[in-house]
Amino acid sequence: MSGHRDVVFQASGVTKTYLMGEVRIQALRGVDLTLYAGELVVMLGASGSGKSTLLNILGGLDHADGGVVRYRDQDLAHAGDKALTAYRRHHVGFVFQFYNLIPSLTARENVAIVTEIARDPMTPDSALSLVGLEDRMDHFPAQLSGGEQQRVAIARAIAKRPDVLLCDEPTGALDSRTGIRVLQVIQQINQELGTTTAVITHNAVIGEMADRVVRLADGRVHSVVENPARKSPGQLHW
Ligand SMILES: Nc1ncnc2c1ncn2[C@@H]1O[C@H](COP(=O)(O)OP(=O)(O)O)[C@@H](O)[C@H]1O
Ligand SMILES: [Mg+2]
């Protein structure tokens, strides 16, 4: 990356505490992080380091308690529920470890649920073709492998042409070969659509496909490292 970098997310001093009965769990203890347009960032960190909490706050699924969270010119930390819902609906695609597809709907219908409420969506068929599932559109989730189901979930996430794609352990339930195929799709979306992408994983090898690797530890950003060149997922081994 060179020259002027367009800022998509600006987080400063972000804190988040969960209350579990009498117990306070400080999930984020002052996170500072900037994400730039079009980049692919991999977020690494031990279990419990705050990765999911941070991603959920960036994606408008949850509120920070303190600090600043900006998405372009929007203040997410102080946005009301309606504004956050609109933000998520129009700008954010999510992919989770478990694909969360609706079992009684085909791949095409699972994607159509999102395209029906989007402002400028691609067709479900185009989204499914992008992830290499043009031959599987009429299959139900139970008729698809784990990796194929995750690719349907990615098609669903990107069919609305989101500005950002947030992936929380997208390969966590997949064997390495299938996981690499899913990562190839994520990288292809990032390259072809220019979607700013963050991928959470606890697998450090996956960091090699990123423009930048962000390490979280104990609720803070421990380090941010820019890769001199990013690898394609096909070059990764674990
Ligand atoms: N909804 C919640 N209620 C209570 N504690 C939570 C909740 N979500 C996360 N936590 C706690 O916050 C900390 C950070 O969790 P999380 O962001 O899920 O970490 P990671 O994704 O890196 O594993 C952990 O101690 C976790 O137990
Ligand atoms: Mg997590």
Short mmCIF file of all heavy atoms in Angstrom, two decimals, residues 189-229:
data_model
loop_
_atom_site.label_atom_id
_atom_site.label_comp_id
_atom_site.label_asym_id
_atom_site.label_seq_id
_atom_site.Cartn_x
_atom_site.Cartn_y
_atom_site.Cartn_z
N ILE A 189 -12.93 -11.67 -3.03
CA ILE A 189 -13.91 -10.61 -2.80
C ILE A 189 -13.19 -9.30 -2.49
O ILE A 189 -13.52 -8.24 -3.02
CB ILE A 189 -14.83 -10.97 -1.60
CG1 ILE A 189 -15.59 -12.26 -1.84
CG2 ILE A 189 -15.76 -9.81 -1.24
CD1 ILE A 189 -16.56 -12.24 -2.97
N ASN A 190 -12.19 -9.40 -1.62
CA ASN A 190 -11.42 -8.22 -1.24
C ASN A 190 -10.77 -7.59 -2.48
O ASN A 190 -10.81 -6.36 -2.66
CB ASN A 190 -10.36 -8.63 -0.21
CG ASN A 190 -9.33 -7.55 0.06
OD1 ASN A 190 -8.19 -7.66 -0.38
ND2 ASN A 190 -9.73 -6.51 0.76
N GLN A 191 -10.23 -8.41 -3.37
CA GLN A 191 -9.54 -7.89 -4.55
C GLN A 191 -10.50 -7.40 -5.61
O GLN A 191 -10.32 -6.33 -6.18
CB GLN A 191 -8.63 -8.97 -5.14
CG GLN A 191 -7.28 -8.99 -4.45
CD GLN A 191 -6.45 -10.21 -4.83
OE1 GLN A 191 -6.95 -11.15 -5.47
NE2 GLN A 191 -5.20 -10.21 -4.42
N GLU A 192 -11.55 -8.19 -5.88
CA GLU A 192 -12.42 -7.85 -7.02
C GLU A 192 -13.41 -6.76 -6.66
O GLU A 192 -13.76 -5.94 -7.51
CB GLU A 192 -13.15 -9.11 -7.52
CG GLU A 192 -12.20 -10.06 -8.21
CD GLU A 192 -12.88 -11.32 -8.73
OE1 GLU A 192 -14.13 -11.35 -8.78
OE2 GLU A 192 -12.15 -12.27 -9.08
N LEU A 193 -13.91 -6.76 -5.43
CA LEU A 193 -14.91 -5.76 -5.05
C LEU A 193 -14.30 -4.62 -4.23
O LEU A 193 -14.96 -3.64 -3.95
CB LEU A 193 -16.06 -6.40 -4.26
CG LEU A 193 -16.79 -7.60 -4.88
CD1 LEU A 193 -17.95 -8.05 -4.00
CD2 LEU A 193 -17.30 -7.28 -6.29
N GLY A 194 -13.06 -4.79 -3.81
CA GLY A 194 -12.41 -3.74 -3.00
C GLY A 194 -12.99 -3.62 -1.61
O GLY A 194 -12.84 -2.58 -0.95
N THR A 195 -13.65 -4.68 -1.14
CA THR A 195 -14.29 -4.65 0.17
C THR A 195 -13.22 -4.67 1.27
O THR A 195 -12.39 -5.58 1.32
CB THR A 195 -15.18 -5.90 0.33
OG1 THR A 195 -15.99 -6.03 -0.84
CG2 THR A 195 -16.07 -5.80 1.55
N THR A 196 -13.27 -3.68 2.14
CA THR A 196 -12.38 -3.66 3.30
C THR A 196 -12.71 -4.87 4.17
O THR A 196 -13.87 -5.07 4.53
CB THR A 196 -12.59 -2.37 4.10
OG1 THR A 196 -12.44 -1.26 3.21
CG2 THR A 196 -11.60 -2.25 5.26
N THR A 197 -11.69 -5.68 4.50
CA THR A 197 -11.97 -6.97 5.10
C THR A 197 -11.15 -7.19 6.36
O THR A 197 -9.94 -6.95 6.36
CB THR A 197 -11.64 -8.09 4.07
OG1 THR A 197 -12.43 -7.87 2.89
CG2 THR A 197 -11.95 -9.47 4.63
N ALA A 198 -11.82 -7.65 7.41
CA ALA A 198 -11.13 -8.06 8.63
C ALA A 198 -11.47 -9.50 8.91
O ALA A 198 -12.64 -9.89 8.89
CB ALA A 198 -11.54 -7.18 9.80
N VAL A 199 -10.44 -10.31 9.14
CA VAL A 199 -10.62 -11.74 9.40
C VAL A 199 -10.01 -12.06 10.76
O VAL A 199 -8.81 -11.88 10.98
CB VAL A 199 -9.91 -12.60 8.32
CG1 VAL A 199 -10.06 -14.09 8.64
CG2 VAL A 199 -10.47 -12.30 6.94
N ILE A 200 -10.85 -12.53 11.68
CA ILE A 200 -10.36 -12.99 12.97
C ILE A 200 -9.98 -14.46 12.87
O ILE A 200 -10.71 -15.25 12.28
CB ILE A 200 -11.47 -12.88 14.04
CG1 ILE A 200 -11.69 -11.43 14.43
CG2 ILE A 200 -11.11 -13.69 15.29
CD1 ILE A 200 -12.77 -11.27 15.49
N THR A 201 -8.84 -14.80 13.45
CA THR A 201 -8.47 -16.21 13.53
C THR A 201 -7.51 -16.39 14.70
O THR A 201 -6.91 -15.43 15.17
CB THR A 201 -7.81 -16.68 12.22
OG1 THR A 201 -7.34 -18.02 12.40
CG2 THR A 201 -6.63 -15.81 11.85
N HIS A 202 -7.39 -17.62 15.19
CA HIS A 202 -6.32 -17.87 16.14
C HIS A 202 -5.18 -18.62 15.46
O HIS A 202 -4.23 -19.02 16.10
CB HIS A 202 -6.85 -18.62 17.37
CG HIS A 202 -7.53 -19.88 17.02
ND1 HIS A 202 -8.90 -20.00 16.98
CD2 HIS A 202 -7.04 -21.08 16.65
CE1 HIS A 202 -9.21 -21.22 16.60
NE2 HIS A 202 -8.11 -21.90 16.40
N ASN A 203 -5.28 -18.77 14.13
CA ASN A 203 -4.27 -19.46 13.33
C ASN A 203 -3.31 -18.44 12.71
O ASN A 203 -3.63 -17.77 11.73
CB ASN A 203 -4.98 -20.27 12.24
CG ASN A 203 -4.00 -21.06 11.39
OD1 ASN A 203 -2.80 -20.89 11.49
ND2 ASN A 203 -4.55 -21.92 10.54
N ALA A 204 -2.11 -18.34 13.29
CA ALA A 204 -1.16 -17.30 12.87
C ALA A 204 -0.75 -17.42 11.41
O ALA A 204 -0.43 -16.41 10.77
CB ALA A 204 0.07 -17.33 13.76
N VAL A 205 -0.80 -18.62 10.84
CA VAL A 205 -0.41 -18.80 9.44
C VAL A 205 -1.28 -17.95 8.52
O VAL A 205 -0.82 -17.39 7.52
CB VAL A 205 -0.51 -20.30 9.06
CG1 VAL A 205 -0.29 -20.50 7.57
CG2 VAL A 205 0.49 -21.12 9.86
N ILE A 206 -2.55 -17.82 8.88
CA ILE A 206 -3.49 -17.07 8.05
C ILE A 206 -3.09 -15.59 7.95
O ILE A 206 -3.40 -14.91 6.98
CB ILE A 206 -4.93 -17.27 8.58
CG1 ILE A 206 -5.33 -18.74 8.39
CG2 ILE A 206 -5.94 -16.35 7.87
CD1 ILE A 206 -6.69 -19.11 8.97
N GLY A 207 -2.32 -15.13 8.94
CA GLY A 207 -1.82 -13.75 8.90
C GLY A 207 -1.04 -13.44 7.63
O GLY A 207 -0.98 -12.29 7.19
N GLU A 208 -0.46 -14.47 7.01
CA GLU A 208 0.39 -14.25 5.83
C GLU A 208 -0.40 -13.79 4.59
O GLU A 208 0.17 -13.29 3.64
CB GLU A 208 1.18 -15.52 5.51
CG GLU A 208 2.16 -15.88 6.63
CD GLU A 208 2.87 -17.21 6.38
OE1 GLU A 208 3.06 -17.59 5.21
OE2 GLU A 208 3.23 -17.88 7.38
N MET A 209 -1.74 -13.96 4.62
CA MET A 209 -2.53 -13.50 3.47
C MET A 209 -2.96 -12.03 3.63
O MET A 209 -3.58 -11.46 2.74
CB MET A 209 -3.77 -14.38 3.26
CG MET A 209 -4.83 -14.21 4.33
SD MET A 209 -6.32 -15.25 4.05
CE MET A 209 -7.29 -14.19 2.93
N ALA A 210 -2.61 -11.42 4.77
CA ALA A 210 -3.11 -10.08 5.07
C ALA A 210 -2.20 -8.98 4.55
O ALA A 210 -1.00 -9.20 4.34
CB ALA A 210 -3.25 -9.93 6.59
N ASP A 211 -2.77 -7.79 4.37
CA ASP A 211 -1.94 -6.60 4.20
C ASP A 211 -1.30 -6.24 5.54
O ASP A 211 -0.14 -5.89 5.61
CB ASP A 211 -2.79 -5.41 3.72
CG ASP A 211 -3.34 -5.63 2.33
OD1 ASP A 211 -2.52 -5.85 1.41
OD2 ASP A 211 -4.57 -5.59 2.16
N ARG A 212 -2.12 -6.35 6.62
CA ARG A 212 -1.60 -6.05 7.95
C ARG A 212 -2.15 -7.07 8.94
O ARG A 212 -3.27 -7.56 8.81
CB ARG A 212 -2.04 -4.64 8.39
CG ARG A 212 -1.38 -3.54 7.55
CD ARG A 212 -1.60 -2.17 8.18
NE ARG A 212 -3.00 -1.89 8.36
CZ ARG A 212 -3.49 -1.12 9.34
NH1 ARG A 212 -2.68 -0.56 10.22
NH2 ARG A 212 -4.79 -0.91 9.43
N VAL A 213 -1.33 -7.37 9.93
CA VAL A 213 -1.71 -8.30 10.99
C VAL A 213 -1.81 -7.53 12.30
O VAL A 213 -0.86 -6.87 12.71
CB VAL A 213 -0.67 -9.43 11.13
CG1 VAL A 213 -1.05 -10.37 12.28
CG2 VAL A 213 -0.55 -10.21 9.82
N VAL A 214 -2.98 -7.60 12.91
CA VAL A 214 -3.23 -6.92 14.18
C VAL A 214 -3.28 -7.99 15.26
O VAL A 214 -4.07 -8.94 15.16
CB VAL A 214 -4.59 -6.18 14.14
CG1 VAL A 214 -4.91 -5.55 15.49
CG2 VAL A 214 -4.58 -5.13 13.04
N ARG A 215 -2.42 -7.88 16.27
CA ARG A 215 -2.45 -8.84 17.38
C ARG A 215 -3.09 -8.20 18.60
O ARG A 215 -2.68 -7.13 19.05
CB ARG A 215 -1.04 -9.29 17.75
CG ARG A 215 -0.51 -10.35 16.83
CD ARG A 215 0.89 -10.81 17.26
NE ARG A 215 1.46 -11.65 16.21
CZ ARG A 215 1.29 -12.96 16.15
NH1 ARG A 215 0.60 -13.60 17.07
NH2 ARG A 215 1.81 -13.66 15.15
N LEU A 216 -4.11 -8.88 19.13
CA LEU A 216 -4.72 -8.43 20.37
C LEU A 216 -4.21 -9.28 21.52
O LEU A 216 -3.96 -10.48 21.36
CB LEU A 216 -6.25 -8.54 20.30
CG LEU A 216 -6.94 -7.31 19.70
CD1 LEU A 216 -6.89 -7.38 18.20
CD2 LEU A 216 -8.36 -7.21 20.17
N ALA A 217 -4.06 -8.65 22.67
CA ALA A 217 -3.70 -9.38 23.88
C ALA A 217 -4.35 -8.66 25.04
O ALA A 217 -4.23 -7.43 25.16
CB ALA A 217 -2.18 -9.43 24.06
N ASP A 218 -5.08 -9.40 25.82
CA ASP A 218 -5.64 -8.85 27.05
C ASP A 218 -6.43 -7.55 26.82
O ASP A 218 -6.31 -6.60 27.58
CB ASP A 218 -4.49 -8.61 28.03
CG ASP A 218 -4.98 -8.59 29.47
OD1 ASP A 218 -6.07 -9.14 29.74
OD2 ASP A 218 -4.29 -8.01 30.32
N GLY A 219 -7.24 -7.54 25.77
CA GLY A 219 -8.12 -6.39 25.55
C GLY A 219 -7.47 -5.17 24.94
O GLY A 219 -8.07 -4.09 24.92
N ARG A 220 -6.24 -5.35 24.45
CA ARG A 220 -5.57 -4.21 23.81
C ARG A 220 -4.91 -4.66 22.51
O ARG A 220 -4.65 -5.84 22.32
CB ARG A 220 -4.46 -3.64 24.70
CG ARG A 220 -4.97 -2.98 25.95
CD ARG A 220 -3.86 -2.13 26.58
NE ARG A 220 -4.32 -1.56 27.84
CZ ARG A 220 -4.22 -2.18 29.01
NH1 ARG A 220 -3.67 -3.39 29.08
NH2 ARG A 220 -4.66 -1.59 30.11
N VAL A 221 -4.62 -3.67 21.63
CA VAL A 221 -3.84 -4.00 20.44
C VAL A 221 -2.38 -4.11 20.87
O VAL A 221 -1.79 -3.15 21.37
CB VAL A 221 -4.00 -2.92 19.35
CG1 VAL A 221 -3.04 -3.19 18.20
CG2 VAL A 221 -5.43 -2.91 18.83
N HIS A 222 -1.84 -5.28 20.70
CA HIS A 222 -0.47 -5.56 21.14
C HIS A 222 0.52 -5.14 20.06
O HIS A 222 1.56 -4.59 20.33
CB HIS A 222 -0.36 -7.05 21.45
CG HIS A 222 1.00 -7.50 21.82
ND1 HIS A 222 1.86 -8.07 20.92
CD2 HIS A 222 1.65 -7.45 22.99
CE1 HIS A 222 3.00 -8.37 21.54
NE2 HIS A 222 2.89 -8.00 22.79
N SER A 223 0.18 -5.40 18.79
CA SER A 223 1.07 -4.99 17.70
C SER A 223 0.29 -4.94 16.40
O SER A 223 -0.72 -5.62 16.24
CB SER A 223 2.23 -5.98 17.55
OG SER A 223 1.73 -7.25 17.17
N VAL A 224 0.78 -4.13 15.49
CA VAL A 224 0.25 -4.09 14.12
C VAL A 224 1.45 -4.20 13.19
O VAL A 224 2.37 -3.38 13.28
CB VAL A 224 -0.50 -2.77 13.84
CG1 VAL A 224 -1.06 -2.79 12.42
CG2 VAL A 224 -1.62 -2.55 14.85
N VAL A 225 1.44 -5.22 12.35
CA VAL A 225 2.58 -5.44 11.46
C VAL A 225 2.09 -5.46 10.02
O VAL A 225 1.11 -6.15 9.70
CB VAL A 225 3.28 -6.78 11.80
CG1 VAL A 225 4.35 -7.11 10.77
CG2 VAL A 225 3.87 -6.73 13.20
N GLU A 226 2.77 -4.69 9.17
CA GLU A 226 2.43 -4.68 7.75
C GLU A 226 3.25 -5.76 7.05
O GLU A 226 4.47 -5.83 7.22
CB GLU A 226 2.75 -3.30 7.17
CG GLU A 226 2.17 -3.09 5.81
CD GLU A 226 1.89 -1.61 5.50
OE1 GLU A 226 1.80 -0.82 6.45
OE2 GLU A 226 1.77 -1.29 4.32
N ASN A 227 2.60 -6.61 6.27
CA ASN A 227 3.33 -7.62 5.51
C ASN A 227 3.96 -6.97 4.29
O ASN A 227 3.30 -6.19 3.60
CB ASN A 227 2.39 -8.74 5.06
CG ASN A 227 2.08 -9.71 6.18
OD1 ASN A 227 2.88 -9.92 7.09
ND2 ASN A 227 0.89 -10.30 6.13
N PRO A 228 5.20 -7.30 3.98
CA PRO A 228 5.85 -6.75 2.78
C PRO A 228 5.09 -7.17 1.52
O PRO A 228 4.99 -6.41 0.56
CB PRO A 228 7.25 -7.34 2.81
CG PRO A 228 7.26 -8.41 3.85
CD PRO A 228 6.08 -8.20 4.75
N ALA A 229 4.56 -8.37 1.51
CA ALA A 229 3.74 -8.86 0.39
C ALA A 229 2.76 -9.84 0.99
O ALA A 229 3.09 -10.55 1.93
CB ALA A 229 4.62 -9.55 -0.64
#
